[in-house]
Amino acid sequence: MNKQTGFKVLVLAAVLTTGVATVPTNVSAAKWHKGTPKVIRGTYQGKRTSAAEGFGYFYKVTSKSFIQQYSNMSQEKTIKLKYKKLKGHTYRLVGHTKKRGMVLGGKFDSVVYQKGHKLSLDTYKSYKKYGYKYLNRQIKKNPAKLTKKLKSNGRIVKY
């Protein structure tokens, strides 16, 4: 093999490996991931909506579960979660709610909107029908705010 042929083979090999390395991969933000997004993890609490409530509703988001409770109601714990990002600050969570007390359990399919230290939750069906209309209303009127300790009583918010 002469020098020119060896050089051509070397250049061809370099071009082929560079071409293969620069082929874009199809990574989609709409891909499903296990668990919950790191940005929404924590404990969030909203204000009371009536004097009959002992405390405002709260959400507790961990890496493997989503817990929500409204005053005077059974706690709902959702496990086997997966999520995908819909838009900026908006995530779709799908999982299984465990049977507990008055909660029958079953499929959990919701949209979580998180911005700053505020979190809002709506069903996916409602989100598909109305978009941000109800999420924006809730985030303006009575958002769940990030907290370290749950508080009882407190101010009453009227819609």
Side-chain angles (χ1 to χ4, degrees):
M1 190 154 108
N2 63 22
K3 286 184 177 182
Q4 271 191 331
T5 307
F7 180 72
K8 287 180 183 178
V9 170
L10 184 64
V11 168
L12 182 63
V15 168
L16 287 176
T17 56
T18 306
V20 170
T22 59
V23 173
T25 57
N26 292 336
V27 177
S28 174
K31 182 182 172 195
W32 287 98
H33 306 279
K34 284 187 176 184
T36 60
K38 287 182 182 178
V39 295
I40 68 167
R41 292 181 192 163
T43 303
Y44 299 85
Q45 186 174 21
K47 294 187 172 98
R48 299 184 310 154
T49 55
S50 76
E53 293 180 337
F55 59 88
Y57 69 95
F58 75 88
Y59 306 125
K60 184 173 183 180
V61 186
T62 66
S63 63
K64 297 184 183 199
S65 68
F66 184 89
I67 298 170
Q68 59 182 322
Q69 185 172 5
Y70 299 88
S71 188
N72 307 328
M73 298 298 289
S74 299
Q75 197 176 72
E76 298 176 25
K77 184 175 184 178
T78 304
I79 56 172
K80 298 180 183 173
L81 287 164
K82 61 182 180 177
Y83 74 93
K84 73 176 176 178
K85 189 170 185 172
L86 299 176
K87 293 182 180 180
H89 308 292
T90 308
Y91 301 91
R92 181 179 179 190
L93 291 177
V94 176
H96 176 75
T97 302
K98 296 171 88 174
K99 182 181 180 329
R100 175 186 252 172
M102 296 182 340
V103 177
L104 297 176
K107 186 178 179 185
F108 176 84
D109 191 359
S110 293
V111 174
V112 175
Y113 178 74
Q114 183 268 342
K115 191 164 186 183
H117 295 296
K118 297 177 182 177
L119 187 89
S120 182
L121 179 75
D122 198 4
T123 63
Y124 184 68
K125 186 177 179 181
S126 176
Y127 173 78
K128 286 298 281 183
K129 188 172 183 179
Y130 302 110
Y132 279 107
K133 183 178 177 183
Y134 293 109
L135 281 172
N136 281 337
R137 181 175 163 226
Q138 184 181 357
I139 206 86
K140 288 177 185 172
K141 295 284 186 177
N142 188 16
K145 293 182 182 174
L146 188 64
T147 183
K148 295 202 183 277
K149 184 178 176 186
L150 295 174
K151 300 169 188 126
S152 61
N153 294 328
R155 204 174 117 215
I156 298 172
V157 175
K158 296 289 181 190
Y159 283 100

